[in-house]
Structures are given as structure tokens and as C-alpha cells.
Coordinates of all heavy atoms in Angstrom, one line a residue:
M1 N -10.4 -12.1 -10.7 CA -9.5 -12.3 -9.6 C -10.2 -11.9 -8.3 O -10.9 -10.9 -8.3 CB -8.2 -11.5 -9.8 CG -7.4 -11.4 -8.6 SD -5.8 -10.6 -8.7 CE -6.0 -9.2 -9.6
M2 N -10.1 -12.6 -7.3 CA -10.7 -12.3 -6.0 C -9.5 -12.1 -5.0 O -8.6 -12.9 -5.0 CB -11.6 -13.3 -5.5 CG -12.9 -13.4 -6.3 SD -14.0 -14.6 -5.6 CE -14.5 -13.8 -4.1
M3 N -9.6 -11.0 -4.2 CA -8.5 -10.8 -3.2 C -9.2 -10.6 -1.9 O -10.3 -10.1 -1.8 CB -7.8 -9.5 -3.5 CG -7.1 -9.5 -4.9 SD -6.4 -7.9 -5.3 CE -7.9 -7.1 -5.8
S4 N -8.6 -11.2 -0.9 CA -9.2 -11.0 0.5 C -8.0 -10.8 1.4 O -6.9 -11.2 1.2 CB -10.0 -12.3 0.9 OG -9.1 -13.4 1.0
L5 N -8.4 -10.0 2.5 CA -7.4 -9.7 3.5 C -8.1 -9.7 4.8 O -9.0 -8.8 5.0 CB -6.8 -8.3 3.2 CG -5.8 -7.8 4.2 CD1 -4.5 -8.7 4.2 CD2 -5.4 -6.4 3.8
L6 N -7.8 -10.6 5.7 CA -8.4 -10.6 7.0 C -7.4 -10.4 8.1 O -6.4 -11.2 8.2 CB -9.1 -12.0 7.2 CG -10.2 -12.3 6.2 CD1 -10.7 -13.7 6.5 CD2 -11.4 -11.4 6.4
I7 N -7.5 -9.4 8.8 CA -6.5 -9.1 9.9 C -7.3 -8.8 11.2 O -7.6 -7.7 11.5 CB -5.6 -7.9 9.6 CG1 -4.9 -8.2 8.2 CG2 -4.6 -7.8 10.7 CD1 -4.1 -7.0 7.8
P8 N -7.8 -9.9 11.9 CA -8.7 -9.7 13.0 C -7.9 -9.4 14.3 O -8.4 -9.5 15.4 CB -9.5 -11.0 13.1 CG -8.5 -12.0 12.5 CD -7.7 -11.3 11.5
D9 N -6.7 -9.2 14.2 CA -5.8 -9.0 15.4 C -5.9 -7.6 16.0 O -6.1 -6.6 15.2 CB -4.3 -9.3 14.9 CG -3.4 -9.4 16.1 OD1 -3.4 -8.6 16.9 OD2 -2.6 -10.4 16.0
P10 N -5.8 -7.4 17.3 CA -5.8 -6.1 17.8 C -4.7 -5.2 17.3 O -4.7 -4.0 17.4 CB -5.7 -6.3 19.3 CG -6.0 -7.7 19.6 CD -5.8 -8.5 18.3
Q11 N -3.6 -5.9 16.8 CA -2.5 -5.1 16.3 C -2.6 -5.0 14.8 O -1.6 -4.8 14.1 CB -1.2 -5.9 16.6 CG -1.0 -5.9 18.1 CD 0.1 -6.9 18.5 OE1 0.6 -7.7 17.7 NE2 0.6 -6.8 19.7
A12 N -3.8 -5.0 14.2 CA -4.0 -4.8 12.8 C -3.5 -3.4 12.4 O -3.4 -2.5 13.2 CB -5.5 -4.9 12.5
P13 N -3.2 -3.3 11.1 CA -2.6 -2.0 10.6 C -3.5 -0.8 10.8 O -3.0 0.3 10.8 CB -2.3 -2.3 9.2 CG -3.0 -3.5 8.8 CD -3.3 -4.3 10.0
G14 N -4.8 -1.0 10.8 CA -5.7 0.2 11.0 C -5.5 1.2 9.9 O -5.7 0.9 8.7
K15 N -5.2 2.4 10.3 CA -5.0 3.5 9.3 C -3.8 3.4 8.4 O -3.7 4.1 7.4 CB -4.9 4.9 10.0 CG -6.1 5.2 10.9 CD -7.3 5.5 10.1 CE -8.4 5.9 11.0 NZ -9.7 5.9 10.4
D16 N -2.9 2.4 8.7 CA -1.7 2.2 7.9 C -2.0 1.1 6.8 O -1.0 0.5 6.3 CB -0.5 1.8 8.8 CG -0.1 2.9 9.8 OD1 -0.3 4.1 9.4 OD2 0.3 2.6 10.9
M17 N -3.2 0.8 6.5 CA -3.5 -0.2 5.5 C -3.0 0.2 4.2 O -2.7 -0.7 3.4 CB -5.1 -0.3 5.4 CG -5.5 -1.4 4.5 SD -5.1 -3.0 5.1 CE -6.3 -3.2 6.4
D18 N -2.7 1.5 3.9 CA -2.2 1.9 2.6 C -0.8 1.2 2.3 O -0.4 1.1 1.1 CB -2.2 3.4 2.4 CG -1.3 4.0 3.5 OD1 -1.1 3.5 4.6 OD2 -0.7 5.1 3.2
I19 N -0.1 0.9 3.3 CA 1.2 0.2 3.1 C 1.0 -1.1 2.4 O 1.8 -1.4 1.5 CB 1.9 0.0 4.5 CG1 2.2 1.3 5.2 CG2 3.1 -0.9 4.3 CD1 2.6 1.2 6.6
Y20 N 0.0 -1.8 2.7 CA -0.3 -3.1 2.0 C -0.9 -2.9 0.7 O -0.8 -3.8 -0.2 CB -1.2 -3.9 2.9 CG -0.5 -4.3 4.2 CD1 -0.8 -3.5 5.4 CD2 0.4 -5.3 4.3 CE1 -0.2 -3.9 6.6 CE2 1.0 -5.6 5.5 CZ 0.7 -4.9 6.7 OH 1.3 -5.2 7.8
L21 N -1.7 -1.8 0.5 CA -2.4 -1.6 -0.8 C -1.6 -0.8 -1.8 O -2.0 -0.8 -3.0 CB -3.7 -0.9 -0.5 CG -4.7 -1.6 0.4 CD1 -5.9 -0.8 0.7 CD2 -5.1 -3.0 -0.2
H22 N -0.5 -0.2 -1.4 CA 0.2 0.6 -2.4 C 0.7 -0.1 -3.6 O 0.4 0.4 -4.7 CB 1.4 1.2 -1.6 CG 2.2 2.2 -2.5 ND1 1.7 3.5 -2.7 CD2 3.4 2.2 -3.1 CE1 2.5 4.1 -3.5 NE2 3.6 3.3 -3.7
S23 N 1.3 -1.3 -3.5 CA 1.7 -2.0 -4.6 C 0.6 -2.5 -5.5 O 0.7 -2.5 -6.7 CB 2.6 -3.2 -4.2 OG 1.9 -4.1 -3.4
L24 N -0.5 -2.9 -4.9 CA -1.7 -3.3 -5.6 C -2.3 -2.1 -6.4 O -2.6 -2.3 -7.6 CB -2.8 -3.8 -4.7 CG -4.2 -4.1 -5.3 CD1 -4.0 -5.2 -6.3 CD2 -5.2 -4.4 -4.2
V25 N -2.4 -0.9 -5.9 CA -2.9 0.2 -6.6 C -1.9 0.6 -7.7 O -2.4 0.9 -8.8 CB -3.0 1.4 -5.6 CG1 -3.3 2.7 -6.4 CG2 -4.1 1.1 -4.6
D26 N -0.6 0.5 -7.5 CA 0.3 0.8 -8.6 C 0.1 -0.2 -9.8 O 0.1 0.2 -10.9 CB 1.7 0.7 -8.1 CG 2.1 1.9 -7.2 OD1 1.4 2.9 -7.2 OD2 3.1 1.8 -6.5
E27 N 0.0 -1.4 -9.5 CA -0.2 -2.4 -10.5 C -1.5 -2.3 -11.2 O -1.6 -2.4 -12.5 CB -0.1 -3.8 -9.9 CG -0.1 -4.9 -11.0 CD 0.2 -6.3 -10.4 OE1 0.7 -6.4 -9.2 OE2 0.0 -7.3 -11.1
L28 N -2.6 -2.0 -10.5 CA -3.9 -1.8 -11.1 C -3.9 -0.5 -12.1 O -4.5 -0.5 -13.1 CB -5.0 -1.6 -10.1 CG -5.4 -2.9 -9.4 CD1 -6.3 -2.6 -8.2 CD2 -6.1 -3.9 -10.3
K29 N -3.2 0.5 -11.6 CA -3.1 1.7 -12.5 C -2.3 1.4 -13.8 O -2.8 1.8 -14.9 CB -2.3 2.8 -11.8 CG -3.2 3.5 -10.7 CD -2.3 4.3 -9.7 CE -2.2 5.7 -10.1 NZ -1.5 6.5 -9.1
E30 N -1.3 0.6 -13.7 CA -0.5 0.2 -14.9 C -1.4 -0.7 -15.8 O -1.4 -0.5 -17.0 CB 0.7 -0.5 -14.5 CG 1.6 -1.0 -15.7 CD 2.8 -1.8 -15.2 OE1 3.2 -1.7 -14.0 OE2 3.3 -2.5 -16.1
L31 N -2.1 -1.7 -15.2 CA -2.9 -2.6 -16.0 C -4.1 -1.8 -16.6 O -4.6 -2.3 -17.6 CB -3.4 -3.7 -15.1 CG -2.3 -4.7 -14.7 CD1 -2.8 -5.7 -13.7 CD2 -1.7 -5.4 -15.9
W32 N -4.6 -0.8 -16.0 CA -5.7 0.0 -16.6 C -5.1 0.9 -17.8 O -5.7 0.9 -18.9 CB -6.3 0.9 -15.6 CG -7.4 1.8 -16.2 CD1 -7.3 3.1 -16.4 CD2 -8.6 1.4 -16.8 NE1 -8.4 3.6 -17.0 CE2 -9.3 2.6 -17.3 CE3 -9.3 0.2 -16.9 CZ2 -10.5 2.6 -17.8 CZ3 -10.5 0.2 -17.5 CH2 -11.1 1.4 -17.9
S33 N -4.0 1.6 -17.6 CA -3.5 2.5 -18.6 C -2.9 1.7 -19.8 O -3.1 2.0 -20.9 CB -2.6 3.5 -18.0 OG -1.5 2.9 -17.5
D34 N -2.0 0.8 -19.5 CA -1.2 0.1 -20.5 C -1.9 -1.2 -21.0 O -1.8 -1.6 -22.1 CB 0.2 -0.3 -20.0 CG 1.0 1.0 -19.6 OD1 0.6 2.1 -20.1 OD2 1.9 0.8 -18.8
G35 N -2.6 -1.9 -20.1 CA -3.2 -3.2 -20.4 C -2.1 -4.2 -20.6 O -0.9 -4.0 -20.3
F36 N -2.5 -5.4 -21.0 CA -1.5 -6.4 -21.3 C -2.1 -7.4 -22.3 O -3.3 -7.5 -22.5 CB -1.1 -7.2 -20.0 CG -2.3 -8.0 -19.4 CD1 -2.5 -9.3 -19.6 CD2 -3.1 -7.3 -18.5 CE1 -3.6 -10.0 -19.0 CE2 -4.2 -8.0 -17.9 CZ -4.4 -9.3 -18.2
E37 N -1.2 -7.9 -23.1 CA -1.6 -8.8 -24.2 C -2.0 -10.2 -23.6 O -1.3 -10.8 -22.8 CB -0.4 -9.0 -25.1 CG -0.7 -9.5 -26.5 CD -1.4 -8.5 -27.4 OE1 -1.2 -7.3 -27.1 OE2 -2.0 -8.9 -28.3
T38 N -3.2 -10.6 -24.1 CA -3.7 -11.9 -23.6 C -4.3 -12.7 -24.8 O -4.6 -12.1 -25.9 CB -4.7 -11.8 -22.5 OG1 -4.9 -13.0 -21.9 CG2 -5.9 -11.1 -22.9
F39 N -4.5 -14.0 -24.7 CA -5.0 -14.8 -25.7 C -6.5 -15.2 -25.5 O -6.8 -15.6 -24.4 CB -4.1 -16.1 -25.8 CG -4.5 -17.0 -26.9 CD1 -4.3 -16.7 -28.2 CD2 -5.2 -18.2 -26.6 CE1 -4.6 -17.6 -29.2 CE2 -5.6 -19.1 -27.6 CZ -5.3 -18.8 -28.9
D40 N -7.3 -15.0 -26.5 CA -8.7 -15.5 -26.4 C -8.8 -16.8 -27.1 O -8.7 -16.9 -28.3 CB -9.6 -14.4 -27.2 CG -11.0 -14.8 -27.1 OD1 -11.4 -15.9 -26.6 OD2 -11.9 -13.9 -27.5
A41 N -9.0 -17.9 -26.3 CA -9.1 -19.2 -26.8 C -10.3 -19.4 -27.8 O -10.2 -20.3 -28.7 CB -9.1 -20.2 -25.7
S42 N -11.4 -18.7 -27.6 CA -12.5 -18.9 -28.4 C -12.4 -18.4 -29.8 O -12.9 -19.0 -30.8 CB -13.8 -18.3 -27.8 OG -13.7 -16.9 -27.7
T43 N -11.6 -17.3 -30.0 CA -11.4 -16.8 -31.3 C -10.0 -17.1 -31.9 O -9.7 -17.0 -33.1 CB -11.5 -15.3 -31.3 OG1 -10.5 -14.7 -30.5 CG2 -12.9 -14.8 -30.9
G44 N -9.1 -17.5 -31.0 CA -7.7 -17.8 -31.4 C -6.9 -16.6 -31.7 O -5.9 -16.7 -32.4
E45 N -7.3 -15.4 -31.2 CA -6.6 -14.2 -31.4 C -6.1 -13.6 -30.1 O -6.7 -13.9 -29.0 CB -7.5 -13.2 -32.1 CG -8.0 -13.6 -33.4 CD -9.0 -12.6 -34.1 OE1 -9.3 -11.6 -33.4 OE2 -9.4 -12.8 -35.2
C46 N -5.1 -12.8 -30.2 CA -4.6 -12.0 -29.0 C -5.3 -10.7 -29.0 O -5.7 -10.1 -30.0 CB -3.1 -11.9 -29.1 SG -2.2 -13.4 -28.8
F47 N -5.4 -10.1 -27.8 CA -6.0 -8.8 -27.7 C -5.4 -8.1 -26.4 O -4.8 -8.8 -25.6 CB -7.5 -8.8 -27.6 CG -8.1 -9.5 -26.3 CD1 -8.5 -8.7 -25.3 CD2 -8.2 -10.9 -26.3 CE1 -9.0 -9.3 -24.1 CE2 -8.7 -11.5 -25.1 CZ -9.1 -10.7 -24.1
K48 N -5.6 -6.8 -26.3 CA -5.1 -6.1 -25.2 C -6.2 -6.0 -24.1 O -7.2 -5.4 -24.4 CB -4.6 -4.7 -25.5 CG -3.9 -4.0 -24.4 CD -3.1 -2.8 -24.9 CE -1.8 -3.3 -25.4 NZ -0.7 -2.5 -25.1
M49 N -5.9 -6.5 -22.9 CA -6.9 -6.5 -21.8 C -6.5 -5.4 -20.8 O -5.4 -5.2 -20.5 CB -6.9 -7.8 -21.1 CG -7.9 -7.9 -20.0 SD -8.0 -9.5 -19.1 CE -8.7 -10.5 -20.3
H50 N -7.5 -4.7 -20.4 CA -7.3 -3.6 -19.3 C -8.1 -4.1 -18.1 O -9.1 -4.8 -18.2 CB -7.8 -2.3 -19.8 CG -7.1 -1.8 -21.0 ND1 -6.0 -0.9 -20.9 CD2 -7.2 -2.0 -22.3 CE1 -5.5 -0.7 -22.1 NE2 -6.3 -1.3 -23.0
V51 N -7.6 -3.7 -16.9 CA -8.1 -4.2 -15.7 C -8.7 -3.0 -14.8 O -8.2 -1.9 -14.9 CB -7.0 -4.8 -14.9 CG1 -7.4 -5.3 -13.5 CG2 -6.4 -6.0 -15.6
A52 N -9.8 -3.3 -14.1 CA -10.4 -2.3 -13.3 C -11.0 -3.0 -12.0 O -11.4 -4.2 -12.1 CB -11.5 -1.5 -14.0
V53 N -11.0 -2.3 -10.9 CA -11.7 -2.8 -9.7 C -13.2 -2.4 -9.8 O -13.5 -1.2 -9.9 CB -11.1 -2.3 -8.4 CG1 -11.9 -2.7 -7.2 CG2 -9.7 -2.8 -8.3
L54 N -14.1 -3.3 -9.9 CA -15.5 -3.0 -10.0 C -16.1 -2.7 -8.7 O -17.0 -1.8 -8.6 CB -16.2 -4.1 -10.7 CG -15.8 -4.5 -12.1 CD1 -16.6 -5.6 -12.6 CD2 -15.9 -3.3 -13.0
W55 N -15.8 -3.4 -7.6 CA -16.4 -3.1 -6.3 C -15.6 -3.8 -5.3 O -14.8 -4.7 -5.5 CB -17.9 -3.6 -6.3 CG -18.1 -5.0 -6.5 CD1 -17.9 -6.1 -5.6 CD2 -18.5 -5.7 -7.7 NE1 -18.2 -7.3 -6.2 CE2 -18.5 -7.1 -7.5 CE3 -18.8 -5.2 -9.0 CZ2 -18.9 -8.0 -8.5 CZ3 -19.1 -6.1 -10.0 CH2 -19.2 -7.5 -9.7
T56 N -15.8 -3.4 -4.0 CA -15.3 -4.0 -2.9 C -16.4 -4.3 -1.9 O -17.4 -3.6 -1.9 CB -14.2 -3.2 -2.2 OG1 -14.8 -2.0 -1.7 CG2 -13.1 -2.8 -3.1
I57 N -16.3 -5.3 -1.1 CA -17.3 -5.6 -0.1 C -16.5 -5.5 1.3 O -15.6 -6.3 1.5 CB -17.9 -7.0 -0.3 CG1 -18.5 -7.0 -1.7 CG2 -18.8 -7.3 0.8 CD1 -19.0 -8.4 -2.1
N58 N -17.0 -4.7 2.1 CA -16.4 -4.5 3.4 C -17.4 -4.3 4.5 O -18.6 -3.9 4.2 CB -15.5 -3.2 3.4 CG -14.6 -3.1 2.3 OD1 -14.9 -3.2 1.1 ND2 -13.3 -2.9 2.6
D59 N -17.0 -4.5 5.8 CA -17.9 -4.2 6.9 C -17.6 -2.7 7.3 O -16.7 -2.1 6.7 CB -17.7 -5.2 8.0 CG -16.3 -5.2 8.5 OD1 -15.5 -4.5 8.1 OD2 -16.0 -6.1 9.4
F60 N -18.4 -2.2 8.1 CA -18.2 -0.7 8.4 C -16.9 -0.4 9.1 O -16.3 0.6 8.8 CB -19.4 -0.2 9.3 CG -20.7 -0.1 8.5 CD1 -21.7 -1.0 8.7 CD2 -20.8 0.8 7.5 CE1 -22.9 -0.9 7.9 CE2 -21.9 0.9 6.7 CZ -23.0 0.1 6.9
P61 N -16.3 -1.2 10.0 CA -15.0 -0.9 10.5 C -13.9 -0.8 9.4 O -13.0 0.0 9.4 CB -14.7 -2.0 11.5 CG -16.1 -2.4 12.0 CD -16.9 -2.3 10.8
S62 N -14.1 -1.7 8.4 CA -13.1 -1.7 7.3 C -13.2 -0.5 6.5 O -12.2 0.1 6.0 CB -13.4 -2.9 6.4 OG -13.1 -4.1 7.1
Y63 N -14.5 0.0 6.3 CA -14.6 1.3 5.6 C -13.8 2.4 6.2 O -13.2 3.2 5.6 CB -16.1 1.7 5.5 CG -16.9 1.0 4.5 CD1 -18.1 0.5 4.8 CD2 -16.5 0.8 3.2 CE1 -18.9 -0.2 3.9 CE2 -17.2 0.2 2.2 CZ -18.4 -0.3 2.6 OH -19.2 -1.0 1.7
G64 N -13.9 2.4 7.5 CA -13.2 3.5 8.3 C -11.7 3.3 8.1 O -11.0 4.3 8.0
N65 N -11.2 2.1 8.1 CA -9.7 1.9 7.9 C -9.3 2.2 6.5 O -8.2 2.8 6.3 CB -9.4 0.5 8.2 CG -9.4 0.2 9.7 OD1 -9.3 1.1 10.5 ND2 -9.5 -1.1 10.0
L66 N -10.1 1.9 5.5 CA -9.7 2.1 4.1 C -9.8 3.5 3.6 O -9.1 4.0 2.9 CB -10.5 1.1 3.2 CG -10.2 -0.4 3.2 CD1 -11.1 -1.1 2.4 CD2 -8.7 -0.6 2.8
F67 N -10.9 4.2 4.1 CA -11.2 5.5 3.5 C -11.0 6.6 4.6 O -11.4 7.7 4.3 CB -12.7 5.5 3.0 CG -12.9 4.4 2.0 CD1 -13.7 3.4 2.2 CD2 -12.2 4.5 0.8 CE1 -13.9 2.4 1.2 CE2 -12.4 3.6 -0.2 CZ -13.2 2.5 0.0
G68 N -10.4 6.3 5.7 CA -10.1 7.3 6.6 C -11.2 7.8 7.4 O -11.5 8.8 7.9

């Protein structure tokens, strides 16, 4: 899954970016700890998949907004 968020407006949320990321973080925590049942078409079996964020790509102003 790829997610992108572009807010080039002077009224961008800035330090309040966590308002937009809160639900995403909650869902990722649930998908990491509990996982979810999914189907593997190559083997024909179901398995429990867990999700993690491997990396993010940001410019330097975004680092300041995301990480304070």
C-alpha cells in the first residue's frame, strides 16, 4: 500500500498533523498485533498477515512537521 499526503497550502496543519495520522497509527498497531486472515492464491491456503511501516520518504520541512 502506498499513501501520500500533499498539503502545500499556507494553512497546512503543520504541527497538528497528528490529527490526520491518529486513525492510521491506531489501525497499523492493530494490524501489527492482531494481524488479519488473508488468502494466498499460490498455495490455496489462508494465513495471518501482519502489517508494518517499513519507511517514509519526506522532505526536510515535512520531517519537522511529523517529528516535532
Side-chain angles (χ1 to χ4, degrees):
M1 168 173 44
M2 292 183 67
M3 297 172 287
S4 64
L5 178 65
L6 300 174
I7 307 176
D9 193 310
Q11 298 167 345
K15 301 288 184 199
D16 297 327
M17 185 65 73
D18 61 330
I19 294 168
Y20 297 97
L21 298 176
H22 185 73
S23 59
L24 172 65
V25 170
D26 288 343
E27 188 171 347
L28 286 170
K29 287 165 93 175
E30 179 183 342
L31 292 172
W32 174 251
S33 62
D34 301 337
F36 62 96
E37 198 73 21
T38 191
F39 180 74
D40 183 352
S42 65
T43 63
E45 297 177 356
C46 289
F47 67 97
K48 188 166 280 219
M49 181 182 287
H50 296 267
V51 175
V53 174
L54 297 178
W55 60 81
T56 64
I57 300 172
N58 307 58
D59 57 6
F60 287 111
S62 297
Y63 282 133
N65 287 341
L66 289 174
F67 302 113

